[in-house]
Amino acid sequence: MGALLVRRALLAIPTLAGVVVVAFLLLYVAPGDPVLEMVGERADSATIARLRAELHLDESLPRQFVHYAGGVVRGDLGRSFITGRPIARDIAERFPKTLELAGTAMLLAIVVGVSLGVLSARHPGGWIDRGALAIAYVGVSFPVYWVGLLLILLFAVVLHWLPPSGYGRPEFLILPALALGSRSIAFLARMTRSSMLEVLSSDFVRTARAKGAREKAVLMHHALRNALVPVISVLGLDFGSYLTGSILTETVFSWPGIGRYVVNAIGRRDLPAIQGTVLFLSVVFVAVNVITDLAYAAADPRIAYD
Amino acid sequence: MPLSPSSSRSRSRSRLTFVALLALAACRGGEAAHRRTLVDARDRYDPKSLDPALSTDVPTGRAVSYLFDGLTRFSPDAKVGPALATRWDVSPDGRTYLFHLRPGVRFHDGTLLHASDVVHSFTRVLDPTNKSGRPWPLYPIAGARTFAAGKATAVSGLAAVDDSTVRITLDTALAIFPKLLAMPVASVVPPKIAADFGEHPIGTGPWTLVAWQHDDYVLLARNSEYFGGAPKLDSLMIRIIPEPSTAVAEFESGNVDLLYVPEADAPRWEQTDEKKALLTSAPALRLWYVALNTTRGPLKDVRVRQALNHAVDVRTILDKLLGGRGRLAAGVIPPTLEGADTSRAPYAYDPAAAKRLLAAAGYAKGFDVELWLPQDPAFRRVAESIQSYLAAVGVRAKIVQRESAAAREAARNGQTDMIVKDWYADYPDAENFLYPLLHGANRGVGGNVSFYENPTFDRIVSLARTDPDSATRAALYRQADSLAFADAPMIYLFFYNELYAVQPWVKGFIAPTIFNGQKFTDVTITAH
């Protein structure tokens, strides 16, 4: 396991180096000028030229890259062009909030999605199965912002049970987590169901039943654990994408997380903020992938990494 | 258990003092306590900073104006009046201003305001190392440009005569100068500026900062020592809600007191009686227009530009798409400002005349042109109807929608034929429309994306800027506006009256004509 970690960490270095280069280059290809965003609607060319010089934007592309990459290597993500605040602090302020939201959404997805899947697999074609199928269709087909707005309308505006948006006490977390997790709930339910059905029809389950194991034990001990491998891979991918880009959910629910930060930064062409966040989120994504791989091994000892 | 619908308010309370918390506990549910905080949900994004030197956009400028004061200020109806300066004397040549400071004004940290703070504040904005994006309001000061370029160690036109008098010398006479000083960037800051001043601002304003949670809210508490009279409310919360539908849901749940009704939603609000009763608006100093790049293709011909103006039924666009609150533009000067010619008629909707003009210009068969716009639902609808009106006279407009930064860059670089835009005044003066939008010196980055250049127009506007007599100035502005109107460097659309939804329990809110004209000192909340 330790060797695996080291190897994966080493492999991540070229990946992240690639991210630094691509994130840097893409922004120079994209239209839009960061200095124009700094000065607002009315400006004068002297100020623009001066700001460009202050920010090293008047230097050649390779020099700018060396300047930037040098900072990254020293662990300095720089300061935002727009706000003047250190990017690292901005990320440190927002990422825990995104983590909170993504974690809750994942927890919801695991509890609700996997349970629905297991229950559906127990009696395929039964009413639970059909109900879960309906939920899954809705969850997969409705875009997240639409689900979000509907949740706000129902639970906040009509019923007054929960606050419509914002960040704070736990009740602020429920609606956004539900909206964000809805797709995963749906997907996991279907995934768990089919994976369970496959495992339930295999020989060792028949053996287990033949030796007189109770149905609950068959489902939970024998079938579920073996059905988990594909489920874990879905979980890992979803969690990675929630951590790095729950932009729509964060916007609809005014959740002050990293997704909104990145969108604002892009809208304002805040180059260091975009580059810093992209790099940070790539690290997160790689880390989540490594953890997912380790979880495979834990769920199924037959999977070995050598 | 059902939660209180005012939960976001209680969250704000939790940041207040222990005493406030006790009072809150005492009244169980907080009906009395939550009347003391006004929640404003007009902002879609976080202020950039609370440092006045960095204010170049509306959310930043508004927040700065709660925390700081300038020498002058705007009232909600956009009149310039005294703030930190109680009065000012202008020399006969109009070049020297003596500002007399209000005695005994203190910053939030207790420091007494001195004239030297004004000099320091303005110098700071002009100092290139501070990366201020908006030094131009202070450029009229003698020596400001030289200092900003790093060629001088001080701004020669700035001097503290004594502790309570500031002398400002200008390069040339400029009648609008007191208005420029009411802009957020000209706010007065204390002598010692910490590195994190943008996060922990200290001003003299009616509100002090309690907490700023980025992308979430800014919470302000009343400055009971405020020289203009302490705010009547205890606190003011600016909530940052990026999604308009969410802001509406918060308003309908009663959690926020003040909402900016998105332009695209205006007709829907106007049509429901109970919603309409909550609306208030003021003739904002905001022009919607389509800049016609006068240096590109067929748009070089004045007859073509006039034809485009005749081709579009602006009245129908305003009524059907934007709820009808506003006034058709017959020039760039808003009707409420001096220099506006309210008797000038807008271009009439007359497709036949448009076709005749096009034919006369040699485009009887029309032409192809690009119509640009930034990402915005209201702009999109306006652009689409303009496109169909133009098609009716044979002009084939292709819609090019880009996200705002890209659209702005293209327009300033002269790469757009036509672009749908709005212009929101920084200060209430005709000059703020004529000069940036149409003066030859401002082509491109200065704001003139029509690339309009007319030496007579430029001469008249420059003359008006320096004339001390307001009647003469108004006459010159009128003349310049009329001249440009005939040249049609834009499709003149309308002056839009901004629409606010205000909860019935909010009293004393006057919709501001200019964005930083409402400081909420006289607003109260009644029992509900």
Side-chain angles (χ1 to χ4, degrees):
Chain A
M1 207 72 98
L4 167 71
L5 260 180
V6 171
R7 213 176 58 229
R8 291 300 300 259
L10 287 177
L11 268 176
I13 293 172
T15 311
L16 295 176
V19 167
V20 173
V21 176
V22 172
F24 180 84
L25 286 179
L26 268 183
L27 288 168
Y28 282 88
V29 179
D33 182 336
V35 176
L36 289 190
E37 295 308 304
M38 292 172 72
V39 296
E41 278 292 335
R42 177 177 171 182
D44 60 292
S45 34
T47 306
I48 290 176
R50 204 155 51 231
L51 284 172
R52 228 182 271 284
E54 282 281 330
L55 302 170
H56 303 285
L57 287 170
D58 54 348
E59 292 172 6
S60 71
L61 204 56
R63 280 196 63 172
Q64 286 188 50
F65 181 74
V66 169
H67 189 81
Y68 175 69
V72 170
V73 170
R74 286 194 309 274
D76 177 12
L77 295 178
R79 282 173 179 266
S80 158
F81 282 176
I82 305 286
T83 67
R85 287 191 290 265
I87 313 283
R89 215 183 68 206
D90 279 349
I91 293 176
E93 207 173 89
R94 287 165 173 90
F95 185 66
K97 294 169 181 164
T98 294
L99 190 62
E100 192 183 327
L101 177 58
T104 313
M106 264 351 268
L107 204 68
L108 263 177
I110 294 168
V111 172
V112 181
V114 173
S115 314
L116 275 179
V118 171
L119 292 175
S120 306
R122 198 167 154 197
H123 298 293
W127 64 270
I128 292 182
D129 190 23
R130 278 178 295 170
L133 184 67
I135 292 174
Y137 271 137
V138 171
V140 168
S141 3
F142 276 28
V144 63
Y145 59 87
W146 180 243
V147 174
L149 289 175
L150 287 182
L151 289 175
I152 291 175
L153 205 60
L154 179 63
F155 291 102
V157 178
V158 178
L159 295 174
H160 287 299
W161 287 359
L162 292 164
S165 73
Y167 175 81
R169 292 190 310 265
E171 62 261 30
F172 285 93
L173 188 56
I174 300 173
L175 291 183
L178 202 58
L180 182 61
S182 62
R183 203 185 63 92
S184 288
I185 292 176
F187 210 64
L188 278 184
R190 298 315 288 166
M191 199 78 186
T192 310
R193 177 184 180 274
S194 58
S195 185
M196 281 291 279
L197 283 178
E198 198 184 311
V199 175
L200 281 174
S201 64
S202 61
D203 291 345
F204 73 91
V205 170
R206 198 178 52 209
T207 311
R209 281 188 176 137
K211 75 175 185 192
R214 277 176 302 140
E215 186 61 17
K216 195 177 158 197
V218 171
L219 278 176
M220 302 314 289
H221 280 274
H222 299 271
L224 184 59
R225 183 165 174 179
N226 284 287
L228 273 182
V229 170
V231 172
I232 288 171
S233 69
V234 171
L235 275 176
L237 280 175
D238 278 3
F239 193 51
S241 75
Y242 288 175
L243 282 179
T244 53
S246 41
I247 292 167
L248 291 174
T249 311
E250 289 185 359
T251 302
V252 168
F253 290 96
S254 313
W255 191 266
I258 199 106
R260 263 173 74 200
Y261 180 71
V262 124
V263 166
N264 281 339
I266 293 171
R268 292 163 164 183
R269 292 296 184 276
D270 192 347
L271 301 183
I274 304 171
Q275 287 157 345
T277 326
V278 166
L279 183 62
F280 171 77
L281 292 178
S282 311
V283 172
V284 170
F285 204 83
V286 168
V288 170
N289 277 340
V290 172
I291 295 169
T292 310
D293 285 353
L294 297 180
Y296 284 160
D300 187 346
R302 284 172 302 182
I303 298 178
Y305 298 94
D306 42 32
Chain B
M1 193 190 80
L3 295 161
S4 155
S6 58
S7 34
S8 77
R9 267 180 226 280
S10 41
R11 181 181 53 158
S12 74
R13 275 181 250 127
S14 71
R15 315 258 170 189
L16 292 178
T17 58
F18 183 61
V19 182
L21 279 175
L22 281 181
L24 176 71
C27 61
R28 312 188 65 168
E31 276 303 312
H34 84 215
R35 275 181 233 137
R36 313 296 303 170
T37 301
L38 184 118
V39 184
D40 174 1
R42 286 178 295 167
D43 287 343
R44 296 269 164 270
Y45 54 91
D46 218 29
K48 289 177 180 179
S49 165
L50 298 176
D51 181 346
L54 294 182
S55 73
T56 56
D57 60 345
V58 170
T60 310
R62 247 188 328 229
V64 162
S65 75
Y66 301 144
L67 293 158
F68 295 88
D69 291 289
L71 293 176
T72 59
R73 63 163 288 179
F74 299 129
S75 60
D77 62 346
K79 298 279 179 283
V80 67
L84 291 178
T86 48
R87 63 194 174 87
W88 50 92
D89 308 317
V90 192
S91 66
D93 67 354
R95 280 189 54 209
T96 308
Y97 283 76
L98 265 189
F99 287 93
H100 303 280
L101 299 190
R102 195 178 293 271
V105 174
R106 286 181 188 276
F107 287 100
H108 299 155
D109 64 356
T111 321
L112 209 57
L113 171 85
H114 292 105
S116 55
D117 299 332
V118 178
V119 174
H120 158 250
S121 302
F122 292 0
T123 308
R124 185 172 171 267
V125 170
L126 292 165
D127 186 342
T129 58
N130 285 326
K131 300 195 181 80
S132 165
R134 178 172 268 195
W136 61 258
L138 301 174
Y139 277 172
I141 300 171
R145 284 174 190 270
T146 325
F147 175 76
K151 291 180 196 139
T153 50
V155 184
S156 59
L158 281 174
V161 180
D162 55 42
D163 269 357
S164 61
T165 318
V166 182
R167 186 179 58 231
I168 302 182
T169 316
L170 308 182
D171 277 328
T172 53
L174 183 64
I176 57 165
F177 189 62
K179 293 182 181 176
L180 296 179
L181 294 185
M183 289 175 62
V185 75
S187 300
V188 178
V189 299
K192 286 205 177 61
I193 299 290
D196 59 352
F197 189 68
E199 298 280 294
H200 302 284
I202 296 166
T204 54
W207 303 94
T208 61
L209 181 70
V210 178
W212 181 12
Q213 292 292 318
H214 294 293
D215 288 336
D216 191 3
Y217 66 87
V218 182
L219 182 62
L220 307 167
R222 75 202 280 262
N223 170 10
S224 51
E225 307 293 314
Y226 188 54
F227 61 80
K232 292 175 178 162
L233 292 163
D234 286 343
S235 40
L236 173 63
M237 182 188 238
I238 305 164
R239 274 206 58 191
I240 315 297
I241 303 180
E243 168 59 43
S245 322
T246 309
V248 172
E250 290 280 10
F251 185 82
E252 288 177 350
S253 308
N255 294 341
V256 305
D257 301 307
L258 182 59
L259 184 71
Y260 180 78
V261 178
E263 293 82 5
D265 289 354
R268 198 169 57 80
W269 281 74
E270 298 274 13
Q271 280 155 17
T272 334
D273 283 342
E274 69 222 53
K275 280 188 163 175
K276 196 174 175 177
L278 302 175
L279 296 179
T280 177
S281 70
L285 302 176
R286 185 174 170 200
L287 170 69
W288 291 50
Y289 65 106
V290 183
L292 305 175
N293 189 327
T294 56
T295 62
R296 287 175 75 93
L299 299 174
K300 285 179 191 158
D301 192 316
V302 63
R303 290 166 298 186
V304 171
R305 301 196 300 265
Q306 289 165 342
L308 299 182
N309 272 285
H310 281 300
V312 179
D313 185 355
V314 181
R315 166 58 55 196
T316 304
I317 292 179
L318 178 61
D319 286 349
K320 301 290 179 213
L321 300 182
L322 292 146
R325 292 204 193 198
R327 191 157 167 166
L328 298 198
V332 296
I333 305 175
T336 50
L337 294 182
E338 281 185 32
D341 185 350
T342 43
S343 64
R344 195 187 300 127
Y347 281 96
Y349 172 52
D350 187 347
K355 282 185 184 161
R356 272 198 307 277
L357 282 162
L358 284 173
Y363 297 102
K365 294 208 167 93
F367 57 90
D368 292 287
V369 71
E370 282 184 350
L371 175 58
W372 283 61
L373 69 149
Q375 210 78 265
D376 179 288
F379 277 17
R380 176 87 203 180
R381 290 185 206 171
V382 169
E384 280 168 354
S385 37
I386 291 174
Q387 181 188 38
S388 70
Y389 282 122
L390 295 186
V393 298
V395 175
R396 298 168 294 277
K398 182 179 147 215
I399 288 189
V400 184
Q401 187 167 24
R402 291 280 186 276
E403 136 317 307
S404 331
R408 185 179 301 169
E409 187 189 30
R412 290 178 177 188
N413 290 341
Q415 292 156 349
T416 57
D417 295 331
M418 317 200 281
I419 180 163
V420 186
K421 282 185 75 70
D422 65 339
W423 175 257
Y424 201 157
D426 288 308
Y427 46 92
D429 196 278
E431 190 265 2
N432 194 208
F433 289 83
L434 295 169
Y435 186 65
L437 298 186
L438 296 169
H439 195 280
N442 285 320
R443 285 180 306 154
V445 289
N448 175 1
V449 295
S450 300
F451 289 80
Y452 177 62
E453 190 160 32
N454 178 336
T456 318
F457 174 93
D458 290 357
R459 199 173 43 78
I460 298 172
V461 172
S462 302
L463 206 61
R465 287 176 55 134
T466 55
D467 201 295
D469 179 61
S470 68
T472 318
R473 253 194 343 265
L476 289 169
Y477 285 152
R478 203 172 298 128
Q479 193 189 346
D481 198 22
S482 171
L483 205 63
F485 185 69
D487 281 342
M490 59 178 65
I491 300 179
Y492 291 85
L493 296 177
F494 39 79
F495 298 101
Y496 179 72
N497 290 5
E498 289 187 312
L499 210 52
Y500 298 97
V502 186
Q503 299 285 15
W505 51 80
V506 175
K507 306 292 175 203
F509 174 77
I510 301 169
T513 305
I514 193 134
F515 72 101
N516 60 343
Q518 175 56 271
K519 296 194 182 208
F520 290 99
T521 45
D522 296 324
V523 177
T524 55
I525 295 178
T526 58
H528 59 280

